[in-house]
Amino acid sequence: MNTHVANVKIAAVAEADISPEEWQARIDLAAIYRLVAHYGWGDVIYNHSSLRVPGEDRKFLIKRHELLYTEVTPSNLVKVSMDDDLDESAGVNRPGFTLHGGVLSARADVNCAVHVHTETGMAIAGLKHGLRMVSQAAIRFYNRVGYHDYEGITEDFGERARINKALGSNRALIMHNHGLLTVGKTPREAFVLMKSLLEAAHIQLTMEATGGELIEIPAAICEKTAHQYQHHDSGRGSADWPAYLRMIDKIDPTWRN
């Protein structure tokens, strides 16, 4: 593991100094942080989303450690190498770097990852039976979600292999007693999957709290619908991403700086 940190970009970057593709990636990732804050999924400066840098497969963008989600902009995102061994002294959160660098390194088909520690997410992550197919929101994850046992704060690079094994080729990972992770080819996909996963968790917990008998969706219908969703998310589903950006434009038009 390369421990040099010289390639970490701490200073803010200007749009004119980087490729149009990287600037667009920075806009999209900054949007995710702002949306996470908007929906109340953040945890002050902790938890992270990441995005692979276009044209630089071994590098990714992540939030600067000390920033609030509402302070993240395209220009102040930090670009780091997956091949380094970084901590807060390099300007990035060690657990965040460990988790996201590991996942992006292992999955060439994944360009973006979103990780949250919401109370709803941690509640579903503490249930032995896991996510149940009792809502349309849950079906996106039918046979497409992994489970990883709790090992403490994610700082040890040795845990990466176990996280990646649990994630496999799935769209999401429920980290027991910890939180949720979703991954996607695009920022939109990773974000929308997290939105659906949290909705599914909330619906399930609400239903289970009633003590009533739940209607489980048949396996054949689940597989059919999950397949539909994967095609939707890789095609016409992307039409909603500009609408999400307009939402945050109305909240704080300076977020694109």
Side-chain angles (χ1 to χ4, degrees):
M1 182 66 67
N2 181 1
T3 58
H4 296 298
V5 299
N7 63 340
V8 177
K9 295 189 175 181
I10 298 299
V13 300
E15 180 178 359
D17 295 333
I18 60 176
S19 69
E21 293 78 14
E22 180 177 334
W23 186 255
Q24 184 59 55
R26 286 172 171 270
I27 288 174
D28 288 334
L29 184 58
I32 288 180
Y33 279 106
R34 295 302 185 105
L35 286 164
V36 167
H38 172 69
Y39 282 102
W41 306 341
D43 186 12
V44 194
I45 66 171
Y46 302 103
N47 304 328
H48 301 82
S49 297
S50 63
L51 181 61
R52 195 187 305 272
V53 178
E56 299 182 72
D57 287 348
R58 300 298 298 175
K59 292 186 179 180
F60 67 99
L61 301 167
I62 195 167
K63 181 182 79 67
R64 190 182 301 177
H65 177 56
E66 74 275 9
L67 294 182
L68 295 166
Y69 280 44
T70 52
E71 294 172 330
V72 175
T73 66
S75 61
N76 65 32
L77 287 163
V78 183
K79 180 158 72 170
V80 296
S81 171
M82 301 175 197
D83 300 313
D84 283 337
D85 185 350
L86 306 180
D87 60 16
E88 288 76 8
S89 65
V92 296
N93 175 256
R94 169 70 175 191
F97 177 80
T98 301
L99 174 61
H100 289 266
V103 169
L104 293 174
S105 177
R107 289 277 298 271
D109 62 316
V110 165
N111 291 315
C112 186
V114 178
H115 176 54
V116 301
H117 287 178
T118 68
E119 292 180 4
T120 297
M122 286 190 281
I124 203 76
L127 292 178
K128 186 171 287 189
H129 61 246
L131 187 67
R132 300 172 67 179
M133 296 299 111
V134 293
S135 70
Q136 181 167 275
I139 294 178
R140 260 192 168 104
F141 308 98
Y142 179 73
N143 285 339
R144 290 160 174 82
V145 60
Y147 294 86
H148 173 62
D149 289 338
Y150 186 67
E151 297 189 27
I153 296 174
T154 313
E155 296 182 315
D156 181 1
F157 279 10
E159 189 178 355
R160 283 177 162 182
R162 295 182 290 279
I163 289 172
N164 292 332
K165 182 178 179 180
L167 176 61
S169 60
N170 293 309
R171 310 187 83 187
L173 182 67
I174 294 178
M175 305 177 77
H176 283 311
N177 313 107
H178 180 169
L180 308 177
L181 175 79
T182 54
V183 296
K185 186 173 183 179
T186 65
R188 181 266 173 196
E189 183 180 2
F191 169 77
V192 169
L193 286 175
M194 181 57 72
K195 188 170 183 288
S196 290
L197 187 54
L198 285 167
E199 288 170 352
H202 177 73
I203 292 166
Q204 178 181 322
L205 293 167
T206 302
M207 294 170 73
E208 289 177 334
T210 69
E213 186 175 357
L214 307 191
I215 300 172
E216 301 270 0
I217 301 170
I221 299 297
C222 286
E223 181 55 45
K224 170 191 172 183
T225 311
H227 184 71
Q228 288 176 319
Y229 266 127
Q230 283 195 270
H231 281 275
H232 172 81
D233 290 332
S234 63
R236 68 181 189 274
S238 61
D240 60 12
W241 188 240
Y244 281 113
L245 300 191
R246 292 196 301 274
M247 282 174 53
I248 52 177
D249 281 338
K250 292 180 180 179
I251 296 168
D252 176 11
T254 70
W255 74 271
R256 293 176 181 265
N257 294 341

